[in-house]
Amino acid sequence: NFLSAYGVTYMAIAGTLLGAVRHLDRIPWDDDVDLCVDATHEQKLFGLVAAQAALRLKAPMPTGLSRRAWRALQLLRRSGYELRVIASRSLVYRVVRARGSQAEAEGPAVDIWLCWGFQDPPDSPEVSLMSKGYGPRIPRSLIFPLQKLPFGRLALWSPAEPEEVTRRYLFAGRGDEASKTADFREICKGRKVHGETKAEFVTEVPCADLARRFGFSFIGPWQPLLIAGDAAEGSEEAWGPALATLRAVAAARMPGVRLALESSDPNLVVLAAGPAFLDSDTGSGSGSPEAGSGEDRSLSLRFRVEAVASRPSGGSLRCVALLWADSSGGRGSNEDDDLLAKGWAPGVSSLVLRSLICGPRDVAAGQEARPEYIWEDAWL
């Protein structure tokens, strides 16, 4: 919300991207969230840190702060957070609970890393994550166009190829063939212990062992439920509520956006991810809740719907929607949460539309396509 209020493009990276891919949420044993912005925003972020200090010390405010900067600063203050500068291997800006607050030690921090080449011209070959000299270098074709991925209750901007970017981040510097096919869904690798020790290690254990011992949930890849009229057997009870919710919310809240959501439409794709699709015989996701059927089943899933929308002025757009139920983790609908969700369609289903992004239909890999329409279930 802070970066959106500031008007700064960000992307999930490192452990946060791994969490979005493998858990649809923060890694259960991770203690921070990692986002990256283009390095050209360094002075803007430092200006906000200086403005915070001036307010705290009742000193003269720095000059040149934009209206957006003031808006982002007010959002932090009213939410009980502040922005700090952390000097580590690379300069990091960290959003944490404000000093002196009762919740100062609670919850994960959000680290905002600087990435080089993130907003360079499309013909630039790569983006350097977290450090210009030492960070993993990722081909631009794997990053753009950006997409949204579920992350707990949020939908975060993420790379176009999140699994490959994650693999290159985890195994950066390893030139062996094994790293090219490493399965981070099956093998959990320790990287760093934050805190006073700051110890680093390379222990690798089967993720299934962690799932069995601690009850952690590991999510399989996105699975197709409906593609161009071809539905997986018995899947309509899952994708039916997703399409119904999307139709209802679009009709009520998105005038002018006409989505083609007939199940026979050749451009319609519905994917789902969640514990319901894990194979317990392999050990992956052991300890995850068993999925039921119908509405109960859909409560444990995240849905991705790809459809075509027609412009009122002519032409068409490619739209991608994310939907899932409330934060009850599949245990049932929480009406108190649903009432605060702008993407909820009462009487239609328990699913909530979390994000809808519409942009050009044909975008080449590596090209940064600016969306023409963005709708989010977020309060700013």
Side-chain angles (χ1 to χ4, degrees):
N1 284 347
F2 161 67
L3 292 173
S4 296
Y6 205 178
V8 173
T9 301
Y10 71 87
M11 174 179 70
I13 59 170
T16 297
L17 185 58
L18 173 59
V21 169
R22 194 174 65 189
H23 304 270
L24 299 175
D25 204 340
R26 190 160 54 97
I27 297 174
W29 55 88
D30 200 1
D31 66 350
D32 63 4
V33 174
D34 298 301
L35 307 177
C36 99
V37 302
D38 193 79
T40 56
H41 296 302
E42 180 179 355
Q43 289 186 340
K44 294 181 181 179
L45 294 172
F46 190 82
L48 283 185
V49 174
Q52 285 179 157
L55 287 171
R56 188 170 60 250
L57 300 173
K58 298 182 180 180
M61 293 294 293
T63 60
L65 289 180
S66 66
R67 186 177 182 85
R68 274 186 164 176
W70 278 111
R71 183 175 65 172
L73 184 59
Q74 285 294 88
L75 176 67
L76 284 181
R77 296 182 68 198
R78 293 183 180 183
S79 303
Y81 287 85
E82 65 184 22
L83 184 66
R84 300 179 187 174
V85 180
I86 306 296
S88 59
R89 291 182 176 180
S90 180
L91 193 64
V92 183
Y93 291 87
R94 178 170 295 173
V95 177
V96 295
R97 292 284 186 180
R99 291 179 176 89
S101 66
Q102 293 183 348
E104 183 176 0
E106 298 177 3
V110 179
D111 287 343
I112 303 174
W113 296 84
L114 302 178
C115 290
W116 276 258
F118 186 42
Q119 291 185 227
D120 279 2
D123 57 355
S124 61
E126 58 189 13
V127 176
S128 182
L129 305 183
M130 307 168 90
S131 170
K132 186 176 183 179
Y134 303 99
R137 297 182 180 276
I138 308 298
R140 196 174 186 84
S141 60
L142 299 178
I143 292 179
F144 295 103
L146 297 177
Q147 63 169 324
K148 284 287 188 79
L149 288 181
F151 187 76
R153 299 184 66 176
L154 306 175
L156 297 184
W157 286 107
S158 305
E161 301 292 340
E163 296 205 17
E164 183 58 29
V165 172
T166 297
R167 183 173 288 107
R168 295 191 182 214
Y169 165 76
L170 290 176
F171 301 99
R174 282 180 54 178
D176 56 351
E177 289 297 316
S179 66
K180 298 178 182 179
T181 58
D183 190 350
F184 52 78
R185 291 187 184 277
E186 299 293 334
I187 300 298
C188 288
K189 178 180 179 180
R191 292 277 298 188
K192 179 181 292 186
V193 177
H194 295 278
E196 295 181 359
T197 60
K198 297 190 182 299
E200 296 196 21
F201 57 98
V202 292
T203 302
E204 295 182 353
V205 298
C207 295
D209 290 352
L210 298 177
R212 280 191 291 267
R213 181 167 182 176
F214 300 105
F216 295 148
S217 179
F218 290 84
I219 307 303
W222 290 83
Q223 300 291 325
L225 299 184
L226 176 66
I227 298 180
D230 185 12
E233 184 177 354
S235 65
E236 185 173 357
E237 60 187 14
W239 56 257
L243 294 185
T245 299
L246 187 52
R247 288 191 196 99
V249 177
R253 295 183 175 271
M254 304 173 190
V257 178
R258 296 190 292 273
L259 293 165
L261 295 175
E262 295 300 323
S263 60
S264 59
D265 190 279
N267 297 301
L268 182 64
V269 175
V270 182
L271 308 175
F277 289 107
L278 295 184
D279 182 358
S280 58
D281 293 335
T282 67
S284 295
S286 178
S288 299
E290 291 294 329
S293 61
E295 188 70 13
D296 291 338
R297 183 187 188 199
S298 67
L299 285 171
S300 64
L301 302 179
R302 302 290 189 264
F303 294 92
R304 174 186 170 103
V305 179
E306 302 174 13
V308 169
S310 57
R311 290 192 187 96
S313 58
S316 60
L317 299 170
R318 175 181 178 268
C319 298
V320 178
L322 294 175
L323 306 95
W324 62 84
D326 61 78
S327 58
S328 61
R331 294 185 293 275
S333 179
N334 184 333
E335 189 169 347
D336 289 340
D337 281 353
D338 288 339
L339 288 172
L340 294 176
K342 295 184 293 183
W344 186 41
V348 177
S349 81
S350 296
L351 298 178
V352 176
L353 176 63
R354 309 292 179 171
S355 171
L356 177 68
I357 301 168
C358 299
R361 293 186 64 180
D362 299 313
V363 180
Q367 298 297 309
E368 185 175 2
R370 291 190 175 274
E372 296 187 25
Y373 185 92
I374 298 177
W375 188 96
E376 296 180 293
D377 179 43
W379 296 90
L380 285 179

